[in-house]
Amino acid sequence: MEAVAKLNNCPIAPRKMMLVADAVRGAQVIDALNTLRFAQKAGAPLVEKLILSAVANWEAKNPDESVEDADLYVKTIFVTGGRQLKRFRPAPQGRAHRIRKRSNHVTVVVDARNTSLIDVVAEDTESNESDN
């Protein structure tokens, strides 16, 4: 069963945060945390805390399973643009240039790799029954 964590209005440009997200997409949680701990990007500590939050959400959803046995991985991580603060900077000859201070939203989905086939079949039959 997957768990989600979101970070909204992070004051870093989305293109810069996408570089951090691409580095950990599809990786094991432990490997992703190690990668982020030593990354030299401004968004790395924020994504690290977000992944830890997603793991805590997963633990809350699955109290009878342990994190070590679950083999958690970053299923999906995506960055979308947030609000923009629009400012003006003085320019020569009485003009002004627009400065856009961009922000982003980051969403992380963490899931266990060792999902048994019985669980997948049970979820599939439940979804088919609810459709009918």
Side-chain angles (χ1 to χ4, degrees):
M1 178 170 248
E2 59 189 31
V4 179
K6 295 180 182 181
L7 172 66
N8 289 327
N9 293 320
C10 177
I12 297 174
R15 288 180 68 173
K16 293 179 182 180
M17 190 63 93
M18 282 181 206
L19 295 172
V20 177
D22 290 341
V24 297
R25 185 174 289 120
Q28 299 283 71
V29 167
I30 294 170
D31 295 337
L33 292 173
N34 286 334
T35 301
L36 293 170
R37 178 142 317 133
F38 299 107
Q40 295 293 317
K41 299 287 183 184
L46 299 170
V47 174
E48 181 182 0
K49 286 178 72 172
L50 189 63
I51 290 175
L52 289 173
S53 176
V55 170
N57 292 343
W58 186 89
E59 286 178 331
K61 280 186 167 182
N62 304 301
D64 54 337
E65 297 181 39
S66 69
V67 176
E68 293 81 19
D69 297 337
D71 194 24
L72 293 178
Y73 74 105
V74 180
K75 186 174 182 180
T76 50
I77 179 170
F78 57 91
V79 180
T80 57
R83 63 187 174 133
Q84 289 185 14
L85 299 175
K86 294 180 175 132
R87 303 288 183 257
F88 290 104
R89 168 130 327 155
Q93 299 181 354
R95 297 188 183 111
H97 290 179
R98 178 172 284 181
I99 303 293
R100 291 181 306 243
K101 298 187 176 197
R102 300 170 190 265
S103 65
N104 65 61
H105 307 307
V106 185
T107 304
V108 175
V109 178
V110 172
D111 200 4
R113 276 198 207 269
N114 65 357
T115 306
S116 65
L117 186 60
I118 296 168
D119 296 337
V120 172
V121 171
E123 288 178 8
D124 189 36
T125 57
E126 289 175 3
S127 65
N128 287 339
E129 290 174 1
S130 65
D131 291 341
N132 293 332

